[in-house]
């Protein structure tokens, strides 16, 4: 390299090159490269919203364990009451980032389910670990899974009420997909309501709903309290499905790119720590069970994160596809096809009136560039392809190749 060319390289470019090539370096040393000089986070204290759910764990642990400091930021977790509240605070800047529903971010970006604002997904926080719970009353009538629920609903023409957590969110989409796969049209054969996750169990207890889809620990809690049964886990609907993401606004990433990278790296490392072993998972369960986070008993959390499931009807099993936070990096990559899938379902259920440019929208929202920088800083492997292939519960394969055709292919739709 000539002297003149060397001078033309800014300090920033040199640091970026050093960090990108630092795969062989000790991770702490690599993080120090990122946290100093012109690559230093522009905003050093950030507020991250979360909802009381097991899958907020990597955000909380990044703060509690002090992993954030290593990357030059201080994460302040902020407990929120509902997904609508998270959406509003993200949009108006009260929150810098949030542990948030994948489909909520996409909905806001397109102006469905709230005000329209450019949004960003920096990483997937977890795969798996949600469930659909049916009331004990419904189970007593014989509805214990999708097929038997369809029979009961056909035989007894009552009004059936099911709850999800946000209209464009993951839980609504898992609930609708599962019901439709069993021949039930969720929008025509049932009444669907929106309930914040921590309020699901109390609402079922007083008879406000026949079933709900939500993240843990609120599936396990219903079983422990004797009010519901697990009809299906979401990993049985879609193995290793995307779930919560680290979301922020497009404006925030533009203004604070180094902060976005640092926070992504810290949470990535926290997920790595959680998935490293049994001891860490138990410590995580003890930490997030506290009233300042999820506010439940440790045993409501720690069984299902270890894959120890019971359905409330005497069936027990070890599920290999339990909630994962890292999975050697396979969990966290923001696949374009994952984001596009939510758009196909938004179109299917009439939330989007027309087909969007699926790939363009996903490319805008999913900030693979920021994620790759964070992955380099945490020694996380990155997949070669931004698309992945999955087979869902109805046997239909999703690979992101023809989203319009896929969205239009379902017999049961709005």
């Amino acid at each position: 390299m000539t002297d003149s060319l060397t001078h033309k390289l800014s300090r920033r470019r040199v640091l970026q090159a050093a960090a990108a090539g630092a795969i062989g370096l000790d991770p702490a040393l690599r993080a120090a490269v990122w946290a100093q000089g012109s690559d230093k986070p522009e905003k050093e204290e950030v507020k991250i919203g979360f909802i009381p759910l097991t899958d907020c764990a990597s955000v909380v642990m990044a703060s509690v364990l002090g992993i954030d400091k290593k990357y030059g930021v201080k994460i302040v977790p902020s407990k929120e009451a509902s997904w609508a509240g998270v959406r509003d605070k993200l949009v108006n800047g009260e929150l810098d980032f949030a542990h948030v529903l994948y489909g909520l971010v996409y909905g806001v970006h397109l102006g469905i389910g709230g005000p329209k604002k450019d949004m960003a997904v920096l990483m997937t926080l977890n795969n798996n670990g949600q469930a659909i719970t049916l009331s004990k009353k419904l189970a007593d009538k014989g509805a214990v899974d999708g097929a038997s629920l369809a029979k009961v609903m056909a035989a007894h023409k009552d009004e059936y009420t099911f709850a999800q957590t946000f209209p464009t969110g993951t839980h609504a989409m898992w609930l609708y997909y599962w019901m439709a796969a069993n021949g039930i049209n969720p929008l025509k054969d049932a009444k669907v309501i929106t309930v914040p996750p921590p309020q699901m169990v109390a609402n079922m207890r007083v008879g406000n709903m026949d079933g709900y889809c939500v993240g843990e620990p609120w599936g396990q809690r219903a079983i422990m309290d004797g009010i519901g049964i697990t009809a299906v886990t979401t990993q049985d609907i879609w193995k290793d499905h995307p779930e919560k993401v680290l979301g922020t606004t497009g404006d925030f990433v533009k203004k604070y790119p180094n902060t976005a990278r640092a926070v992504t790296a810290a949470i990535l490392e926290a997920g790595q720590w959680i998935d490293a072993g049994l001891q860490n998972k138990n410590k995580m369960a003890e930490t997030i069970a506290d009233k300042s986070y999820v506010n439940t008993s440790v045993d409501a959390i720690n069984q299902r994160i270890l894959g120890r499931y019971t359905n409330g009807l005497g069936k027990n099993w070890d599920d290999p596809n339990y909630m994962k936070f890292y999975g050697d990096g396979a969990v966290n990559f923001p696949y374009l096809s994952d984001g596009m899938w939510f758009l196909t379902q938004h179109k299917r259920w009439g939330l989007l009136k027309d087909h969007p440019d699926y790939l363009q929208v996903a490319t805008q929202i999913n900030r693979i560039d920021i994620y790759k920088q964070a992955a380099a800083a945490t020694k996380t492997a990155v997949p070669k392809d931004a698309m992945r292939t999955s087979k869902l519960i109805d046997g239909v394969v999703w690979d992101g190749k023809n989203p319009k055709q896929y969205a239009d292919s379902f017999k049961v739709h709005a």
Side-chain angles (χ1 to χ4, degrees):
M1 192 183 284
T2 66
D3 284 348
S4 62
L5 188 54
T6 306
H7 289 307
K8 279 178 192 165
L9 272 175
S10 66
R11 174 173 167 73
R12 178 185 175 81
R13 294 269 310 280
V14 171
L15 277 167
Q16 282 178 330
I23 301 304
L25 286 183
D26 172 79
L29 183 58
R30 196 166 51 250
V33 172
W34 285 116
Q36 291 162 10
S38 59
D39 272 313
K40 192 170 182 277
E42 306 88 350
K43 188 170 185 181
E44 292 178 19
E45 184 169 304
V46 294
K47 198 170 174 186
I48 306 188
F50 72 92
I51 291 283
L53 289 161
T54 302
D55 51 30
C56 75
S58 55
V59 170
V60 171
M61 297 315 292
S63 169
V64 170
L65 297 170
I67 296 169
D68 51 356
K69 292 184 186 71
K70 185 169 141 183
Y71 296 94
V73 286
K74 183 187 178 191
I75 289 171
V76 180
S78 175
K79 187 174 178 173
E80 304 298 331
S82 70
W83 291 120
V86 169
R87 172 201 62 201
D88 294 346
K89 288 183 181 183
L90 264 181
V91 167
N92 71 23
E94 281 180 70
L95 293 171
D96 298 311
F97 303 86
H99 148 259
V100 67
L101 299 162
Y102 216 132
L104 183 153
V105 176
Y106 271 66
V108 172
H109 191 87
L110 292 171
I112 55 171
K116 189 176 193 306
K117 190 165 179 78
D118 283 357
M119 299 298 285
V121 163
L122 299 174
M123 65 183 284
T124 305
L125 293 174
N126 67 297
N127 288 170
N128 307 328
Q130 325 294 295
I132 295 174
T133 300
L134 297 178
S135 69
K136 246 333 188 0
K137 194 172 138 194
L138 211 46
D140 291 342
K141 287 182 183 169
V144 296
D145 57 18
S148 53
L149 174 65
K151 278 184 192 159
V152 168
M153 287 177 73
H156 306 278
K157 295 287 185 188
D158 301 327
E159 183 179 74
Y160 294 90
T161 302
F162 293 88
Q164 39 76 15
T165 64
F166 191 79
T168 63
T170 52
H171 302 116
M173 298 307 114
W174 310 140
L175 179 68
Y176 297 174
Y177 201 98
W178 174 73
M179 290 175 85
N182 287 285
I184 304 164
N185 189 317
L187 306 186
K188 293 172 185 165
D189 303 334
K191 180 182 169 191
V192 181
I193 59 173
T194 301
V195 175
Q199 295 174 27
M200 287 291 191
V201 175
N203 273 278
M204 184 171 271
R205 188 179 285 114
V206 298
N208 285 349
M209 82 253 298
D210 299 288
Y212 62 72
C213 183
V214 74
E216 294 301 341
W218 308 121
Q220 174 71 1
R221 186 80 254 172
I223 289 167
M224 289 169 71
D225 294 358
I227 61 163
I229 62 114
T230 295
V232 69
T233 65
T234 52
Q235 53 265 34
D236 281 339
I237 297 171
W238 175 355
K239 182 189 162 193
D240 294 335
H241 67 78
E243 185 48 45
K244 305 303 184 301
V245 294
L246 179 63
T248 185
T249 62
D251 289 344
F252 189 94
V253 182
K254 266 185 212 145
K255 196 172 176 186
Y256 308 115
N258 298 344
T259 306
R261 183 208 64 244
V263 169
T264 305
I267 294 171
L268 200 48
E269 189 173 323
Q272 211 169 2
W273 179 88
I274 293 166
D275 277 9
L278 187 65
Q279 202 177 346
N280 292 5
K281 284 181 182 165
N282 281 324
K283 186 178 175 186
M284 175 271 272
E286 284 166 25
T287 304
I288 69 165
D290 188 79
K291 67 176 185 295
S292 52
Y293 302 116
V294 180
N295 191 22
T296 191
S297 58
V298 177
D299 58 346
I301 296 171
N302 68 6
Q303 294 305 298
R304 288 194 170 185
I305 59 158
L306 299 172
R308 294 173 192 151
Y309 277 75
T310 178
N311 70 346
L313 294 164
K315 182 188 170 192
N316 302 293
W317 72 99
D318 285 326
D319 192 330
N321 305 310
Y322 51 83
M323 189 182 290
K324 295 186 174 84
F325 292 90
Y326 186 69
D328 295 327
V331 168
N332 311 108
F333 186 78
Y335 287 98
L336 298 179
S337 53
D338 287 358
M340 289 161 67
W341 184 86
F342 289 102
L343 294 177
T344 68
Q345 300 307 298
H346 293 164
K347 176 66 177 71
R348 176 186 185 182
W349 300 116
L351 292 158
L352 284 170
K353 300 299 168 225
D354 303 304
H355 288 285
D357 185 331
Y358 292 93
L359 184 58
Q360 185 192 34
V361 173
T363 305
Q364 264 183 333
I365 298 174
N366 289 23
R367 293 300 300 268
I368 290 172
D369 54 336
I370 300 277
Y371 180 81
K372 281 182 173 174
Q373 293 172 4
T378 54
K379 233 176 183 173
T380 297
V382 173
K384 289 185 179 74
D385 198 341
M387 300 283 189
R388 62 174 178 148
T389 302
S390 310
K391 187 190 275 191
L392 276 70
I393 195 169
D394 52 5
V396 178
V397 171
W398 165 244
D399 58 14
K401 282 180 185 149
N402 195 334
K404 186 176 183 295
Q405 185 185 4
Y406 177 85
D408 289 340
S409 69
F410 296 99
K411 286 185 188 134
V412 181
H413 54 82

